[in-house]
Amino acid sequence: MKKLSSWLAAAMLVLSACWTGSSSHSRGTDRGLFFGEDWKFSLTDDPSAGGPGFDDRNWRTLDLPHDWSIEGTIDRNNPTGQAGGFFPAGAGWYRKHFRIPAEWADKRVSVYFGGVYMNAEVFINGHSLGVHPYGYTSFFHDLTEHLRPDSENVLAVRVDNSRHLNSRWYSGSGIYRPVRLIVTDPVHIATWGVCVTTPDVRPEAAAVQIRTTVENSSGTAQRILLDIQVLDRKGRIASADTASVGLAAAGSREVLRTVTVRTPRLWSPETPYLYEARVTVRRGTRELDRVRIPFGIRSLKYSPENGFQLNGKTVKLNGGCAHHDNGCLGAAAFDRAEERKAELLKAAGFNAVRTAHNPPSEAFLDACDRLGLMVIDESFDCWRTGKNPNDYAVFFDDWWRRDLESMVMRDRNHPSIVMWSTGNEIIERTDPAAVETAKMLARCVRGLDPTRPVTSAMTTWDQGWEIFDPLMAAHDVCGYNYQMHRAVSDHERVPSRIILQTESFPRDAFSNREMVRNHPYIIGDFVWTAIDYLGESGIGRTFVPGEPEGESWENDVYPWHTSYCGDIDLTGWRKPVSHYRSMLWNDTEKLYMSVREPNPDDGIIQETLWSVWPGRESWTWPGMEGKDVQVEVVSRYPSVRLFLNGNRIGERPTGPEQEFKAVFTLPYAAGVLKAAGVKDGRELESVTLKTAGEPVRIRLTPDRSRISADGQDLSFVTVEITDAEGTVRPDAGHRLRFRIDGPGVIAGVDNGNGKDPDPYSGTERNAFHGRALVVVRSAREAGKIRLEAGSEGLSSATITLHSEKH
């Protein structure tokens, strides 16, 4: 939470008697009190629930963020269908009872919603403040005129996700992002009212331009002082400025100030250095408002001759697309879950992410800023022509400007964002009117932020390609979905075009990397997808005889309910293709070995468009003794050698001509399999796979053993079934049961198996390939949290997490 001025700190002492609000966990709203605790919820649609006198005593009490769809039963008859992962939806109500302290009598009070899916109608004490249709943009309402300072207030939100289909992927349902209460003086900085840019960056100095909108909601003219400070990472003042500003009664004013930072530290994926812009409004010595904005100093340039240049250096975008869900947590955007997602992408070797096909949470962007992960921030999946009967096209004409402004104004201070995207595979793309729409959207974005280019993702499957030239010309960078093969001829025809492959098939990793590497006008490639997601069920699956054939939209693929096309699965495990992709783009990995899934006795494994051949990091294949298996080694060494139980199987080249891969076919025999990277005849590195013995125990490994006792923090606990020596048994599918004691709850369970319809909200889960995941959520009390995992025939495991007040 940003520091409260003295009056607000005193008021919080009064407010705490009826509301245990905690600090804001994300800085994206600039300021605000976390307002997510002790809401009432009911999955019913009573039209009288917006009134203050409605009896909600029997409703469920919960803390936000919340997604009710993930709590439901996966069923082929649910209205979300294959696109939405067969999850339930519907309409529901949230209600929050609160009192305000007397000190707020002259203040402005607003409520800020990070994201509600969808059709959110907000009521304060029975007064409707309006409906916000789009489920992915943030919005806020001024509550001041309807608050009751001397009695209880009721904030109610009706959420309607009952009209389907409205999405091509899992959306979730509910108030799934944080809610904040923003309390200000009548003279204050507008929400999203500070814009920080760095128009001139040189080694010796950088110009930092800070544009601030100050509002005066009082009935008299005001004169205030606006203080600007830029602080470095250690809190030292790097630059400062003060301006005297006059404000008309009930008016606002934009103030532009430019300060200089000497010898700036630049933001980049390798060194994501963040400064802080501290903007304060005061009258004399009395502070009226303050906003703190983390930002980065960096320069962006794009050209067909030099591609994308960050801080004057050409950078290729090794990206992945990512939807917004968090696996077993559904759409619930806990700050830690959003941060972990960014950490997983960074650890997998990506340097960029495309937020398909909507603006992400602020917490995710905060994490990208801190970690050095570049972002394409995307607004819409459709414009005026829909892809489903009840999708965004229904609202486009009335809402596109408000939603686009929400995305850009909220997110424009994030240094991680290097590009805006206004759409994805727009259906009306061959209509000349679409060109005018594209220009309209681009003008809006550039009017709010002229510092970044605008793109949208385009493709074709039933039309020509050159027909899209006018549409592409409306963008600064042209997004190609699965059309990289056209790039060279397109460049010959339109040499000024800057090309970015905004989606690609996972199996094309090598060829896409070569295209990006060899052509300056191709600035990057984004695989579909970086991480598995709920919905678009089974598009990345493989299938064997007896299972539904073909692409997932052609057949009933239930119980498949996840995409399974990601480099990373929903537990955070990196599939073999993830290691291969990282090796192509980075020098952090040079050698990796996996074993290709053998074909069944009654046929062969079939692939879909977004699949890769399934493989495991395992040398445990019971029933395959004496039968041929294929071992795939990916390597950045000139060659690799393979050994089984100390016996050399062979040596094969793994250079660019071999796409840095070697496949060895050999009869399976239990033991130790070793691959060695070879250069100039010397083995420089090796990796091994060992046959696991019988499964005997469970191992629990938390990503964090100490978490905050704030009711919001999470620990992601990896569950593995191992033999007596600790080797994971990759074919283990035991039923796992979890028990928790202490100030915490099990927020979700997962195993990465996209066709296991077990509930994600529960205390049991089958292992998949010997692994599972448990997510523990803290309570608001400090103490030790004890998690136990057990299964029939296995030794149980217990870990202790420490939940601490900060």
Side-chain angles (χ1 to χ4, degrees):
M1 187 174 83
K2 312 305 174 249
K3 280 188 177 178
L4 302 173
S5 57
S6 57
W7 62 263
L8 185 54
M12 283 299 297
L13 296 176
V14 179
L15 187 62
S16 64
C18 58
W19 166 51
T20 55
S22 63
S23 63
S24 167
H25 294 270
S26 172
R27 65 83 157 145
T29 58
D30 309 337
R31 60 209 191 276
L33 311 169
F34 179 67
F35 202 53
E37 295 171 352
D38 296 328
W39 285 69
K40 293 289 189 176
F41 170 73
S42 178
L43 190 53
T44 56
D45 195 14
D46 188 330
S48 63
F54 182 85
D55 187 357
D56 59 18
R57 287 175 296 177
N58 294 324
W59 284 16
R60 175 183 171 192
T61 301
L62 54 77
D63 291 351
L64 305 177
H66 174 240
D67 172 11
W68 78 68
S69 289
I70 198 66
E71 299 173 342
T73 300
I74 300 168
D75 188 287
R76 63 160 35 95
N77 296 315
N78 279 329
T80 57
Q82 178 268 344
F86 304 101
F87 282 86
W93 281 87
Y94 296 84
R95 289 168 56 86
K96 169 76 171 175
H97 299 254
F98 65 103
R99 291 179 179 270
I100 62 172
E103 287 83 354
W104 289 13
D106 298 323
K107 307 304 175 186
R108 306 301 300 184
V109 182
S110 298
V111 63
Y112 180 99
F113 293 89
V116 184
Y117 201 91
M118 59 179 291
N119 296 309
E121 184 171 9
V122 180
F123 298 81
I124 181 65
N125 295 326
H127 300 274
S128 175
L129 301 177
V131 178
H132 186 86
Y134 196 30
Y136 297 113
T137 46
S138 301
F139 62 99
F140 51 92
H141 291 291
D142 190 339
L143 307 180
T144 308
E145 303 306 322
H146 302 292
L147 289 174
R148 300 170 178 172
D150 300 320
S151 61
E152 184 178 74
N153 296 275
V154 178
L155 182 67
V157 184
R158 179 180 182 265
V159 183
D160 184 3
N161 188 19
S162 64
R163 285 164 277 182
H164 292 277
L165 292 170
N166 60 50
S167 178
R168 295 190 302 113
W169 57 89
Y170 177 88
S171 64
S173 304
I175 307 178
Y176 69 98
R177 289 179 183 164
V179 177
R180 296 180 180 86
L181 207 63
I182 300 175
V183 185
T184 67
D185 192 89
V187 178
H188 57 270
I189 298 167
T191 299
W192 305 331
V194 176
C195 177
V196 184
T197 58
T198 54
D200 182 20
V201 178
R202 289 168 287 120
E204 62 275 13
V208 178
Q209 193 174 84
I210 300 175
R211 192 182 303 268
T212 306
T213 300
V214 184
E215 296 179 338
N216 175 21
S217 60
S218 75
T220 59
Q222 303 282 333
R223 178 156 292 278
I224 55 95
L225 295 174
L226 187 71
D227 294 331
I228 304 290
Q229 291 181 325
V230 173
L231 284 72
D232 67 13
R233 184 176 285 175
K234 295 182 178 180
R236 299 173 300 198
I237 296 175
S239 193
D241 181 58
T242 297
S244 178
V245 180
L247 299 168
S252 66
R253 183 172 174 183
E254 185 178 85
V255 182
L256 176 64
R257 307 298 291 181
T258 301
V259 297
T260 300
V261 174
R262 302 292 177 188
T263 321
R265 299 281 299 275
L266 303 187
W267 187 95
S268 71
E270 297 76 26
T271 57
Y273 192 91
L274 293 176
Y275 289 86
E276 179 184 285
R278 184 178 297 176
V279 184
T280 304
V281 175
R282 60 185 171 91
R283 187 185 297 115
T285 59
R286 182 183 172 222
E287 181 180 306
L288 304 179
D289 199 5
R290 178 185 290 184
V291 169
R292 297 177 175 181
I293 303 290
F295 74 97
I297 296 176
R298 87 283 189 270
S299 66
L300 306 177
K301 291 182 181 179
Y302 293 80
S303 70
E305 297 79 19
N306 297 308
F308 165 50
Q309 291 183 303
L310 176 65
N311 302 326
K313 298 178 181 178
T314 297
V315 175
K316 298 293 190 177
L317 299 176
N318 167 33
C321 301
H323 273 306
H324 71 295
D325 73 81
N326 285 304
C328 64
L329 302 175
F334 294 93
D335 280 15
R336 173 55 195 157
E338 299 294 284
E339 178 182 56
R340 175 179 178 265
K341 182 189 293 184
E343 289 173 350
L344 291 173
L345 299 179
K346 186 78 173 182
F350 292 106
N351 69 5
V353 58
R354 172 180 173 232
T355 66
H357 301 291
N358 48 261
S361 74
E362 293 155 278
F364 181 74
L365 294 175
D366 290 343
C368 291
D369 290 344
R370 294 191 302 268
L371 296 170
L373 193 64
M374 295 178 287
V375 178
I376 298 177
D377 200 347
E378 190 156 86
S379 56
F380 311 125
D381 187 44
C382 59
W383 295 344
R384 291 189 173 90
T385 302
K387 300 173 183 178
N388 283 305
N390 295 291
D391 61 15
Y392 189 74
V394 175
F395 312 110
F396 181 85
D397 281 329
D398 293 332
W399 280 89
W400 70 266
R401 181 178 295 277
R402 282 174 282 187
D403 287 325
L404 208 54
E405 288 175 348
S406 171
M407 178 183 80
V408 177
M409 292 181 70
R410 189 198 74 171
D411 296 348
R412 58 190 173 182
N413 293 320
H414 290 278
S416 57
I417 297 175
V418 296
M419 201 179 307
W420 304 108
S421 173
T422 57
N424 173 67
E425 297 181 355
I426 301 305
I427 294 296
E428 65 266 39
R429 58 193 177 275
T430 59
D431 187 337
V435 177
E436 297 309 310
T437 302
K439 291 178 179 178
M440 174 183 75
L441 298 175
R443 279 195 303 270
C444 179
V445 172
R446 293 176 189 130
L448 297 166
D449 176 27
T451 71
R452 297 174 176 92
V454 178
T455 188
S456 74
M458 290 167 265
T459 194
T460 184
W461 55 85
D462 57 355
Q463 301 285 341
W465 185 243
E466 294 183 17
I467 193 174
F468 302 126
D469 283 355
L471 183 60
M472 291 191 181
H475 302 86
D476 304 306
V477 174
C478 298
Y480 284 33
N481 281 8
Y482 313 103
Q483 303 296 322
M484 183 76 90
H485 57 283
R486 303 180 189 270
V488 173
S489 59
D490 283 1
H491 177 67
E492 294 173 355
R493 188 178 75 256
V494 190
S496 61
R497 181 176 296 174
I498 303 168
I499 296 171
L500 170 69
Q501 184 155 245
T502 36
E503 290 181 26
S504 64
F505 295 116
R507 65 170 62 97
D508 294 337
F510 178 81
S511 60
N512 289 329
R513 179 257 191 185
E514 289 298 285
M515 287 288 286
V516 173
R517 189 172 68 93
N518 293 326
H519 300 93
Y521 53 87
I522 304 176
I523 64 174
D525 173 54
F526 285 72
V527 67
W528 190 268
T529 54
I531 190 167
D532 284 347
Y533 56 96
L534 301 172
E536 280 201 300
S537 307
I539 68 165
R541 81 193 196 288
T542 56
F543 55 91
V544 296
E547 295 180 339
E549 299 180 0
E551 302 303 324
S552 60
W553 56 84
E554 298 173 337
N555 292 287
D556 178 6
V557 298
Y558 182 86
W560 275 104
H561 59 279
T562 75
S563 63
Y564 211 68
C565 57
D567 280 15
I568 307 165
D569 80 3
L570 287 180
T571 70
W573 176 72
R574 293 176 62 190
K575 302 173 188 176
V577 68
S578 171
H579 296 272
Y580 178 53
R581 189 182 316 281
S582 178
M583 202 173 294
L584 292 175
W585 289 88
N586 305 293
D587 57 7
T588 53
E589 283 187 272
K590 290 190 173 183
L591 188 67
Y592 177 81
M593 175 170 57
S594 63
V595 179
R596 291 163 63 93
E597 188 94 20
N599 284 311
D601 292 337
D602 60 347
I604 60 173
I605 295 172
Q606 299 286 332
E607 292 192 64
T608 50
L609 284 172
W610 283 271
S611 72
V612 293
W613 194 277
R616 299 187 212 165
E617 200 173 327
S618 166
W619 192 239
T620 305
W621 300 91
M624 289 297 296
E625 289 80 2
K627 299 178 183 177
D628 280 349
V629 294
Q630 290 186 315
V631 177
E632 183 172 270
V633 184
V634 294
S635 163
R636 292 307 299 265
Y637 294 100
S639 65
V640 294
R641 294 171 185 162
L642 189 70
F643 301 84
L644 177 59
N645 296 327
N647 299 313
R648 180 167 163 173
I649 303 299
E651 181 173 341
R652 300 221 169 142
T654 51
E657 298 80 7
Q658 294 78 33
E659 301 184 1
F660 305 108
K661 293 181 182 178
V663 177
F664 298 84
T665 301
L666 67 156
Y668 173 70
V672 177
L673 189 71
K674 184 180 86 167
V678 179
K679 182 178 181 180
D680 298 327
R682 297 174 55 217
E683 296 179 9
L684 300 181
E685 182 184 353
S686 66
V687 293
T688 60
L689 298 174
K690 182 180 179 182
T691 303
E694 291 301 312
V696 297
R697 61 170 60 112
I698 300 170
R699 181 167 61 214
L700 300 177
T701 308
D703 70 334
R704 297 156 72 234
S705 60
R706 294 185 180 274
I707 58 178
S708 296
D710 58 4
Q712 292 289 302
D713 208 357
L714 306 172
S715 180
F716 290 79
V717 183
T718 299
V719 186
E720 295 170 307
I721 297 174
T722 76
D723 65 9
E725 297 182 2
T727 302
V728 174
R729 180 77 191 201
D731 59 341
H734 296 65
R735 188 68 174 176
L736 297 161
R737 294 174 176 85
F738 306 102
R739 182 171 173 270
I740 193 167
D741 293 308
V745 297
I746 293 175
V749 290
D750 203 345
N751 59 11
N753 184 357
K755 56 181 178 180
D756 179 355
D758 268 5
Y760 287 93
S761 293
T763 58
E764 297 186 5
R765 195 76 183 190
N766 291 330
F768 181 57
H769 295 328
R771 302 179 78 255
L773 179 74
V774 182
V775 183
V776 175
R777 179 180 180 179
S778 67
R780 285 175 243 155
E781 300 81 35
K784 294 181 179 180
I785 304 171
R786 183 175 180 271
L787 177 69
E788 180 181 6
S791 182
E792 185 176 349
L794 300 177
S795 297
S796 62
T798 302
I799 59 167
T800 298
L801 307 175
H802 300 271
S803 186
E804 302 168 335
K805 289 287 186 181
H806 296 290

